[in-house]
Structures are given as C-alpha cells and as structure tokens.
Amino acid sequence: MSHSVQIKNALISVYYKDNLEPIIHELNRLGVKIYSTGGTETFIRDLGVDVIAVEDLTSYPSILGGRVKTLHPKVFGGILARRSFDSDEQQLIEYQIPEIDLVIVDLYPFEETVNSGAGQEDIIEKIDFGGISLIRAAAKNFKDVVIVASKNDYSELEEILKLQGGSTTIDQRRKFAQKAFNISSNYDTHIFQYFDQAEPMPVFKQSIQTSQVLRYGENPHQKGTFYGNLDAMFTKLNGKELSYNNLVDVDAAVALIDEFTEPTVAILKHTNACGIASRSFIKEAWIDALSCDPVSAFGGVIIANDEINAETAAEIDKIFYEVLIAPAYTDEALQILQAKKNRIVLIRQRVELPLKQFKTLLNGVIEQDKDLVVEGPAQMNTVTNKQPTTLELRDLFFANKVVKHTKSNTIVFAKNNQLMASGVGQTSRVDSLKQAIIKAHSFGFDLNGAVMASDAFFPFPDCVEIAADAGITAVLQPGGSIKDQDSINMCNQKGIAMVTTGVRHFKH
C-alpha cells in the first residue's frame, strides 16, 4: 500500500471552474491525457490544451439533456480497475479502456439552490448523480486513483503536481479520498433533509462543513470544536477568540434578547440572566440591568438589542466583562470599548437560526423543537379573586420571558420591566424562591409591588405564601398540579393575584 502512482490519464468535469486553469496547464506540461465533458471540455479547449471528449471514449453521446454523460463502463472501468489485479488489467486491454489515474469532479450546487428559494423542478435538477458516482468510485479505488472533489483542493493538487512531477503517494490519495467521502456524505445529507421536510423519518442526520477549533472545551483538559459559521452571525471588532463557555453563554444571551423589542440589555453568567432591564434608552437599560446583581455581572456576557453609544460604552467599560454583543456601535463607543484588547466585542448579524435543538446523551442523541412559545397577557388566565393590574400584567409578561430562559427550578422577581432577582437551578422550587428573596434584599430591592414567575407549577402552597409575605402582589405559573387549588386559595387568603398560562418552561 506504499506505492506511488504516476498520473497518465485524467477525467475532469466540474461545475465550478475557478482556479482550474493552472492545473490544466500543469497536467498538459506533464503529458497527461485529459478526458472531459460539456462546458469543462470547452473550457479546456479554449485554453489551447488538447482534450478528448468522453463521448469519443464511450462512442455514446450525452443523452437526456445531459443527465447521462459519464455513466459508462469505459469511464468507470478505467477508474475502478485494480492495477494489481491481472484480471482487471486484462479486461481493460480487452475492452480498450484507459486507466484513469486522476478524477477532478465536483457536484451541482444543490444546497445553494435550495437556499436560493428556487422551485422544486430546479432543485431536483441540481441533484447530481453522475458526479457523485464518479467521486465515490475514484475514492473507493484510492489505492490507484486521485480524487479531487472540491475547488478548495485545487491548490494542494497543483503543488503536488509541480513538486512530484505528476506522481502521488498512497497517503496523499487516501487524504483526498477522505475529503471526497466527506463531500459526498454531506451532499446526500442535504438532499435527504430536503425530502424529509413534509413527513420526517425517525432518523438523525446532520452535516456541517465549517468548523473552528476552540482553545479548549468546558475545561482546559477537554478539547473543543464549534461546527458552524460564526462569521456569518458575528463580526468581531475586538478581543480574543470565543471560548467554548463563551459560546454557550452567547447562545443563551441571543435566545433571551430575542424575546424583547424595546431597548433591552441583559447580562448572563453560566447561561442565566443575572441582570436584565427594558427602558426607553439603552444607557438606562444597561444601568438598571447592572443594578440587578453587580457582583455576578463581573466576567459576564452582555447583550443589547440596540446600538451602543459612547455614553453607554463608558458605563459598560467600568466593569470587567467577557463578551459584549450589540447590533451596532457608534465610532465613539468603539474607541472606548477597543481600548482593552482582550474584551470580546461583537456585532450581531441577523441570520436564520435552527428550529431544532439536539445533544448527545447516553449512547445516542436527543432532539427537540426549540421552545419558541412565550405567553403574554392574552394567554394569562386569572384564577384568583383579585385581578392583576395592567402594570402587573406587563411585569408578569417580562418575568415570563426571563423565567423561560433560566435554569430550572427557577423563580423570577420583576418590577417595572426590570429583573429584581432570581432563584436558579435549585432542586426544590421553594429553595429557588428563598434564594431569590435573599438576593433581592442583598442588593437593596423592595419587593413590595413586584411580581413573581415560576417555570413550572407549585406542588404546595408554601411558595405563594412566602412570596406574598415578601411583598409580591401577582404570580404567574403554568398550573397543572393536582394541588393547584391549594396555591390559589393561599393567594386569595393573602390578597394577591395569580394567573396560569398552561405552558411549562423547564430548562435543564
């Protein structure tokens, strides 16, 4: 398996011809015989290089509007023949089939055509059959054949041709085959996903071609990689590369901020909001978001849904943060924010985000729809004698948006479109409540007149009793407990309002 192969014959048929010209000239210089089809054949001929039409090799024309061109034993026999098998070599001689040592073939742009919004007929015509068959055949026979299936590999092939005089090693051919199977499997996955939209099959298939190696994973001893195109979503204006933990927090920050339309700033630590406020102006939103928990804000991820101006930047610059995200910054703001080189400053670009979530679990993968539901005043059903006021309904809506994006079990306090405190990730709901009360008091918040949201129902009346005694005047919960009436009765006893939404928002 260590032998070198000298390229004598090449088959070239590509959709993208960018940077192909230098390879054609190098193959011509090496005396390689070139076979080609259609537009690629014309392209090569226009370069003044001799080329043999595949139709002349097969003695069969391109038919069915070009759907069938290379699917012929004289093509695939030359690719799949095992040079070390005497029987294969004898058959090549018998049927006058040339050995093909190099295949340069790419695929019709199926994924790009789907993304363009083209109609079904155009999409179906972009399902490549001949190209994918040539790629698989050449990659399978990598012991004897070089397969180049992407224009991204042209420069590597050109360098090999020049440095090695048209000869390739087994390691080089195996590497090209690995890349080729990656391309073919990715192509097939996207075709399957297109056909799987109407009535999805119970199978899991994902294929992402772009990736970024991270400094490390969740901890320094763990390796980490991000699969996707971060550059499409963010423009980095300052700072180091995003870490694994940064990305997890940024994902949570984006999901949370997208719930709000008015000028809003959120500060997150370990995917939970430690501060968030909505105001008429972004500077006021920042000041009030920070006041929720200025201790936890240290080293956090900050996200805003409005432009950051110089005044706001000057306030933000007073604390240490890991990442700042906004849709825009003024030039004066950037001068302030870019003065500290390690702080990551990002402009968020609007891109379509996935509607599904998945992660590895045990010996498989679990997948679910994203939680894209949030209940507003219209979905709030009052179950107590006291009706919530208009201001309480507004604050309950605010609190419900936050509680949806906070780790369970969670309790959220809010007033005047500001997070006052939250109890996060506790094993009992009453512990989350007590944690939230302690935090609110520690930062000087008066809970009288505040509202409370819970991500799930109250199994006992103790939570609403404690909350009412702390000053809470309205409560939101999904309902659904067999003891709902106990909590409702406690609210009536304490003279506070309760609404149910019918929708639970667990977040693990």
Side-chain angles (χ1 to χ4, degrees):
M1 291 291 285
S2 62
H3 70 292
S4 294
V5 171
Q6 185 70 32
I7 298 172
K8 303 179 292 297
N9 299 302
L11 171 64
I12 306 175
S13 181
V14 295
Y15 187 90
Y16 297 104
K17 299 169 183 63
D18 319 50
N19 302 317
L20 182 62
E21 181 177 346
I23 292 176
I24 300 299
H25 287 306
E26 188 60 26
L27 291 172
N28 186 52
R29 185 187 69 81
L30 293 168
V32 174
K33 188 178 292 185
I34 300 175
Y35 297 88
S36 191
T37 64
T40 309
E41 177 192 344
T42 302
F43 175 82
I44 296 170
R45 206 178 300 282
D46 288 346
L47 295 176
V49 174
D50 290 338
V51 58
I52 301 170
V54 166
E55 291 90 337
D56 293 338
L57 171 64
T58 62
S59 300
Y60 217 91
S62 172
I63 62 172
L64 304 181
R67 280 190 165 195
V68 180
K69 291 182 285 190
T70 57
L71 297 168
H72 194 280
K74 281 202 170 183
V75 175
F76 282 87
I79 295 171
L80 287 166
R82 295 158 291 188
R83 279 44 162 185
S84 61
F85 281 45
D86 290 340
S87 58
D88 285 12
E89 290 294 293
Q90 288 170 5
Q91 286 188 321
L92 292 183
I93 294 170
E94 180 182 355
Y95 295 108
Q96 298 181 324
I97 300 174
E99 292 179 345
I100 296 176
D101 316 295
L102 168 65
V103 175
I104 304 177
V105 175
D106 60 11
L107 299 169
Y108 292 152
F110 176 83
E111 188 179 354
E112 294 84 345
T113 304
V114 172
N115 292 338
S116 73
Q120 179 173 294
E121 185 175 343
D122 289 335
I123 290 171
I124 297 303
E125 284 305 310
K126 288 299 186 292
I127 298 177
D128 204 315
F129 183 78
I132 203 107
S133 301
L134 290 167
I135 288 171
R136 290 180 65 85
K140 175 178 180 176
N141 201 26
F142 71 90
K143 180 180 177 183
D144 299 305
V145 180
V146 182
I147 172 62
V148 176
S150 169
K151 63 182 179 180
N152 296 329
D153 295 324
Y154 286 176
S155 59
E156 183 179 354
L157 175 64
E158 183 185 357
E159 183 179 5
I160 289 172
L161 293 174
K162 288 179 177 179
L163 294 179
Q164 297 172 200
S167 177
T168 62
T169 67
I170 185 65
D171 289 339
Q172 289 166 340
R173 295 192 297 278
R174 182 189 289 272
K175 187 65 177 178
F176 278 123
Q178 178 190 21
K179 293 180 179 181
F181 281 123
N182 175 47
I183 288 169
S184 67
S185 64
N186 176 70
Y187 195 77
D188 284 339
T189 296
H190 285 287
I191 292 172
F192 168 77
Q193 288 174 337
Y194 173 75
F195 281 93
D196 196 48
Q197 294 177 89
E199 297 181 20
M201 296 176 62
V203 296
F204 180 81
K205 290 181 184 290
Q206 290 289 331
S207 181
I208 302 173
Q209 292 293 82
T210 53
S211 65
Q212 178 179 324
V213 176
L214 306 174
R215 296 196 301 275
Y216 52 81
E218 198 164 9
N219 299 292
H221 64 277
Q222 296 170 272
K223 293 181 180 179
T225 305
F226 174 80
Y227 295 96
N229 185 3
L230 279 177
D231 292 338
M233 187 161 183
F234 299 110
T235 300
K236 185 161 73 74
L237 304 178
N238 194 68
K240 55 192 177 182
E241 294 301 321
L242 288 162
S243 69
Y244 180 100
N245 291 328
N246 288 155
L247 288 169
V248 173
D249 283 336
V250 166
D251 177 68
V254 166
L256 174 59
I257 204 70
D258 281 352
E259 301 283 3
F260 299 87
T261 55
E262 60 273 41
T264 301
V265 175
I267 310 165
L268 288 90
K269 285 289 287 291
H270 301 291
T271 74
N272 296 304
C274 58
I276 181 169
S278 298
R279 295 291 181 260
S280 298
F281 300 99
I282 205 70
K283 178 184 174 182
E284 284 69 29
W286 161 252
I287 291 171
D288 288 344
L290 179 63
S291 70
C292 298
D293 185 350
V295 174
S296 296
F298 181 88
V301 168
I302 304 166
I303 190 165
N305 62 359
D306 204 354
E307 181 180 64
I308 301 296
N309 55 31
E311 287 186 347
T312 308
E315 292 295 326
I316 293 173
D317 197 53
K318 293 177 181 178
I319 74 161
F320 169 72
Y321 59 88
E322 286 274 350
V323 184
L324 173 61
I325 309 164
Y329 304 85
T330 65
D331 291 341
E332 296 78 9
L334 284 178
Q335 288 180 0
I336 297 168
L337 298 170
Q338 291 175 329
K340 295 170 181 172
K341 64 179 183 179
N342 285 331
R343 298 195 185 172
I344 302 168
V345 179
L346 304 174
I347 291 180
R348 181 185 172 190
Q349 312 294 340
R350 284 289 172 179
V351 299
E352 186 177 351
L353 297 174
L355 299 179
K356 299 278 189 179
Q357 295 173 311
F358 63 87
K359 65 179 179 179
T360 58
L361 189 147
L362 300 176
N363 61 341
V365 172
I366 55 173
E367 181 184 61
Q368 68 172 354
D369 298 333
K370 275 189 175 178
D371 184 357
L372 300 176
V373 174
V374 64
E375 307 76 48
Q379 292 79 41
M380 296 177 190
N381 177 41
T382 302
V383 293
T384 49
N385 297 331
K386 181 181 179 184
Q387 295 281 333
T389 67
T390 300
L391 288 179
E392 287 172 337
L393 285 172
R394 183 199 64 181
D395 284 337
L396 287 170
F397 189 25
F398 180 94
N400 198 29
K401 294 176 183 179
V402 178
V403 85
K404 168 185 168 183
H405 294 277
T406 307
K407 291 287 187 183
S408 300
N409 288 309
T410 182
I411 292 290
V412 165
F413 295 150
K415 185 163 66 173
N416 297 329
N417 280 343
Q418 178 187 18
L419 174 66
M420 304 188 78
S422 59
V424 176
Q426 298 301 304
T427 51
S428 74
R429 195 156 305 281
V430 71
D431 282 347
S432 293
L433 171 63
K434 291 176 180 177
Q435 182 190 59
I437 292 171
I438 291 170
K439 292 204 76 168
H441 290 161
S442 69
F443 292 111
F445 285 108
D446 180 4
L447 290 177
N448 286 294
V451 304
M452 176 175 80
S454 174
D455 61 327
F457 64 62
F458 299 114
F460 304 104
D462 52 356
C463 282
V464 292
E465 180 180 13
I466 294 169
D469 290 343
I472 298 299
T473 56
V475 177
L476 177 146
Q477 59 134 335
S481 169
I482 59 173
K483 295 186 176 181
D484 271 349
Q485 193 59 47
D486 290 349
S487 293
I488 295 170
N489 291 342
M490 181 58 68
C491 286
N492 288 332
Q493 180 181 327
K494 294 290 185 178
I496 67 174
M498 175 183 282
V499 299
T500 58
T501 62
V503 180
R504 188 183 71 187
H505 290 293
F506 270 166
K507 187 169 184 280
H508 289 92

